[in-house]
């Protein structure tokens, strides 16, 4: 029975959020004014949720079945709060990234955020290194009423997306995401949003924040939005580019050496050689859906071979340009861009996997050979073989096979996480193998 007849007001909610193995953010919400009662022991969660395919079907068999209980433990420093945007009546966005724990507080072996945190800590404790990273996102945007196709990179395309972009930058600023640029891209109705780099786990959290806030602004404006790697058969692809640099524990950059031909330090060369050595297997995490392979093609400015290039947008790992105008120092700008990545990947899992590969490269003292500033597809097969430039997998099943045959990566990852991941991806392949290329584009355009 109601105690008075005061008009009701909606209760503001906070969500404890986990971004799962397939890059989908899920969680549970409660009244924001009760946050105190959730800070230490979090809220409940279910192991088999991690076995969901993008098609929203729990993969069978999976390691969890109907058994078990977990907790989502909030990392309070990661809270995102965005006040009302274009839809003044929308309930404000308020979520906190969480780690998945057992009910006794032990870390859960299949939590991607915990995996990334462990790897970041390992860099610090074993290599004396810190990681700075930023994820750039491309996406397609369609307003509710059909709009003409504008020219690539044009002011007209910018103006068409300017209302959306303005709200987006405002919301990202409010969330502490430090947005940099909103820009029209090469494709029709394609835009890109970039933000400043940050350290460690917060960089992957920030990628989630960018995706979810971008979706929220699109929802409030009634726009259609997709981050999927390819949204139509002849569409320009949407990539995610992961910029990474390493610093020592005092914050001094360690990837740059002015004496080296391309500026990459000895340590950086080993790190890059590790990423390239394991790249075919890494694709299982960074290009993790069947549609990802429509993007990883030559002449797409994405990645089709495992090679490093200086300012070469056909290279899977790119040495980014540095600017010397005005005497700007190079070392703090110097970074590597991992391009074999798209938004169907979990930012935490993908970043952890790339870091593991780079660490293995350092530990094994690998020599970097796979370098080219040509389109790798246009080199002769002998030249590629000579340099150790190998083709990336042509499909998700091929990438999963590369991972299955990579003992070093398998050993570096928790078995329950791998078992769940293989179960999900196996089921996803089965659920989509009957789709034509055009249907596959449409299918994933709706899911991501
Ligand atoms: N759209 C390209 C991709 O799929 C990237 C283009 C660019 O370099 O910005 O990754
Ligand atoms: Mg771009």
């Amino acid at each position: 029975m109601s105690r008075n007849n005061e008009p009701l007001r909606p209760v503001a909610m906070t969500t404890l959020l986990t971004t799962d193995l397939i890059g989908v953010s899920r969680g549970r919400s409660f009244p924001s004014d009760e946050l105190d009662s959730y800070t230490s022991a979090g809220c409940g969660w279910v192991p088999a949720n991690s076995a969901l395919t993008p098609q929203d079907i729990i993969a069978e068999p999976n390691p969890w079945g109907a058994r078990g209980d977990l907790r989502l433990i909030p990392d309070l420093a990661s809270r995102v709060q965005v006040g009302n945007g274009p839809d003044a009546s929308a309930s404000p966005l308020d979520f906190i990234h969480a780690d998945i724990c057992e009910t006794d507080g032990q870390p859960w072996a299949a939590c991607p955020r915990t995996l990334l945190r462990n790897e970041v800590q390992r860099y610090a404790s074993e290599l004396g290194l810190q990681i700075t990273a930023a994820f750039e996102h491309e996406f397609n945007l369609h307003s509710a009423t059909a709009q003409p196709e504008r020219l690539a990179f044009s002011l007209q395309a910018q103006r068409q997306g300017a209302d959306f972009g303005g709200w987006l930058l405002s919301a990202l600023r409010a969330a502490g995401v430090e947005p940099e640029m909103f820009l029209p891209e090469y494709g029709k109705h394609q835009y890109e949003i970039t933000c400043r780099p940050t350290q460690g786990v917060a960089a992957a959290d920030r990628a989630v924040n960018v995706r979810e806030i971008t979706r929220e602004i699109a929802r409030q404006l009634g726009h259609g939005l997709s981050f999927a790697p390819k949204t139509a058969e002849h569409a320009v692809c949407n990539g995610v580019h992961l910029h990474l640099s390493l610093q020592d524990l005092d914050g001094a950059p360690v990837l740059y050496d002015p004496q080296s031909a391309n500026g990459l330090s000895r340590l950086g060369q080993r790190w890059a050689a590790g990423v390239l050595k394991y790249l075919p297997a890494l694709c299982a995490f960074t290009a993790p859906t069947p549609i990802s392979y429509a993007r990883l093609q030559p002449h797409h400015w994405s990645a089709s071979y495992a090679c490093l290039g200086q300012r070469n947008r056909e290279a899977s790992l790119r040495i980014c340009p540095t600017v010397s105008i005005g005497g700007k120092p190079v070392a703090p700008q110097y970074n590597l861009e991992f391009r074999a990545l798209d938004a169907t990947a979990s930012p935490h899992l993908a970043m952890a996997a790339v870091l593991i590969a780079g660490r293995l490269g350092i530990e094994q003292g690998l020599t970097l050979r796979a370098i080219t500033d040509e389109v790798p597809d246009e080199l002769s097969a002998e030249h590629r073989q000579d340099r150790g430039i190998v083709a990336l997998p042509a499909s998700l099943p091929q990438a999963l096979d590369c991972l299955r045959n990579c003992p070093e990566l398998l050993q570096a990852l928790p078995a329950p996480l791998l078992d769940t991941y293989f179960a999900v991806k196996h089921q996803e392949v089965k659920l989509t193998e009957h789709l034509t290329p055009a249907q596959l584009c449409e299918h994933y355009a709706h899911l991501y």
Side-chain angles (χ1 to χ4, degrees):
M1 197 173 36
S2 119
R3 287 205 201 102
N4 59 47
N5 53 6
E6 290 273 304
L8 295 180
R9 296 186 52 76
V11 170
M13 286 179 284
T14 302
T15 305
L16 299 192
L17 204 72
T18 172
T19 302
D20 68 8
L21 300 172
I22 59 165
V24 174
S25 296
R26 307 180 199 266
R28 294 187 180 178
S29 309
F30 48 82
S32 302
D33 55 13
E34 292 176 17
L35 174 59
D36 282 353
S37 40
Y38 294 93
T39 50
S40 59
C43 69
W45 197 241
V46 177
N49 292 2
S50 290
L52 275 160
T53 62
Q55 288 71 28
D56 233 12
I57 290 169
I58 294 181
E60 294 285 352
N62 68 68
W64 319 106
R67 293 173 310 279
D69 284 286
L70 300 165
R71 305 296 292 177
L72 296 181
I73 308 291
D75 176 352
L76 293 177
S78 73
R79 185 171 183 180
V80 164
Q81 288 178 283
V82 182
N84 284 337
D87 175 0
S89 66
S91 79
L93 190 64
D94 181 359
F95 61 81
I96 309 177
H97 294 277
D99 293 331
I100 311 179
C101 284
E102 306 280 359
T103 49
D104 63 2
Q106 288 300 309
W108 189 52
C111 171
R113 195 167 185 268
T114 304
L115 176 79
L116 177 58
R117 169 161 318 94
N118 290 344
E119 189 55 32
V120 168
Q121 280 169 358
R122 203 158 165 181
Y123 265 68
S125 62
E126 293 177 17
L127 304 174
L129 294 174
Q130 315 182 55
I131 298 124
T132 302
F135 293 71
E136 298 172 343
H137 286 84
E138 294 170 335
F139 57 90
N140 291 106
L141 181 71
H142 292 275
S143 57
T145 51
Q147 298 276 334
E149 293 181 343
R150 300 299 187 186
L151 297 179
F153 318 117
S154 68
L155 180 62
Q156 287 295 304
Q158 197 277 347
R159 295 303 301 151
Q160 197 161 281
D163 283 352
F164 175 88
W167 281 114
L168 176 59
L169 292 174
S170 163
L172 291 172
R173 276 186 173 172
V177 168
E178 300 186 291
E180 276 179 334
M181 285 208 199
F182 171 77
L183 52 128
E185 255 287 352
Y186 183 47
K188 300 304 173 201
H189 305 289
Q190 189 189 30
Y191 294 88
E192 175 167 331
I193 182 78
T194 66
C195 60
R196 297 213 156 78
T198 187
Q199 285 195 325
V201 176
D205 290 348
R206 194 169 266 196
V208 172
N209 299 347
V210 166
R211 292 179 196 182
E212 297 307 341
I213 292 170
T214 308
R215 288 183 176 121
E216 175 65 16
I217 297 299
R219 195 184 64 77
Q220 290 191 23
L221 284 170
H223 288 5
L225 177 114
S226 180
F227 288 102
K230 195 167 183 138
T231 52
E233 226 184 334
H234 301 290
V236 173
C237 294
N238 292 319
V240 174
H241 301 155
L242 169 57
H243 291 258
L244 276 153
S245 63
L246 302 175
Q247 294 79 32
D248 68 19
L249 296 182
D250 297 322
V254 299
L255 283 187
Y256 180 64
D257 175 359
Q259 308 302 324
S260 130
N262 52 19
L264 193 57
S265 66
R266 183 84 173 274
L267 180 102
Q269 291 178 34
R270 289 180 171 162
W271 189 87
V275 172
L276 297 178
K277 173 177 172 184
Y278 296 108
L279 188 51
L282 286 180
C283 284
F285 299 117
T286 64
T289 52
I291 194 65
S292 300
Y293 295 86
R295 171 175 171 264
L296 292 191
Q297 299 282 334
H299 309 285
H300 277 53
W301 286 20
S302 60
S304 52
Y305 286 84
C307 62
L308 175 91
Q310 187 157 26
R311 305 185 182 191
N312 178 0
R313 289 182 178 79
E314 285 282 328
S316 38
L317 201 55
R318 182 173 83 117
I319 300 174
C320 291
T322 51
V323 177
S324 51
I325 300 169
K328 270 185 149 195
V330 172
Q333 303 171 51
Y334 194 89
N335 72 88
L336 296 176
E337 179 189 45
F338 180 92
R339 296 172 70 84
L341 176 62
D342 67 61
T344 62
S346 147
H348 298 89
L349 178 56
M351 182 169 160
V354 171
L355 290 177
I356 289 169
R359 171 171 57 77
L360 293 172
I362 294 174
E363 287 169 3
Q364 295 166 18
L366 294 181
T367 304
L368 178 62
R369 287 167 53 234
I371 306 177
T372 184
D373 282 336
E374 307 296 321
V375 176
D377 186 57
E378 290 171 2
L379 298 171
S380 69
E382 295 75 44
H383 186 120
R384 282 197 300 264
Q385 198 175 4
D386 227 41
R387 291 257 161 190
I389 297 175
V390 299
L392 297 188
S395 66
L396 178 58
Q398 277 185 24
L400 293 168
D401 278 347
C402 292
L403 178 60
R404 264 191 208 95
N405 292 316
C406 183
E408 295 99 318
L409 278 186
L410 294 181
Q411 221 193 345
L413 291 158
L417 184 149
L418 282 169
D419 291 346
T420 312
Y421 197 74
F422 279 122
V424 167
K425 291 295 155 185
H426 180 68
Q427 179 105 31
E428 183 177 351
V429 169
K430 279 208 296 196
L431 287 167
T432 53
E433 60 196 357
H434 64 283
L435 298 177
T436 63
Q439 288 170 333
L440 202 63
C441 292
E442 209 188 317
H443 180 71
Y444 280 95
H446 287 116
L447 296 178
Y448 287 92

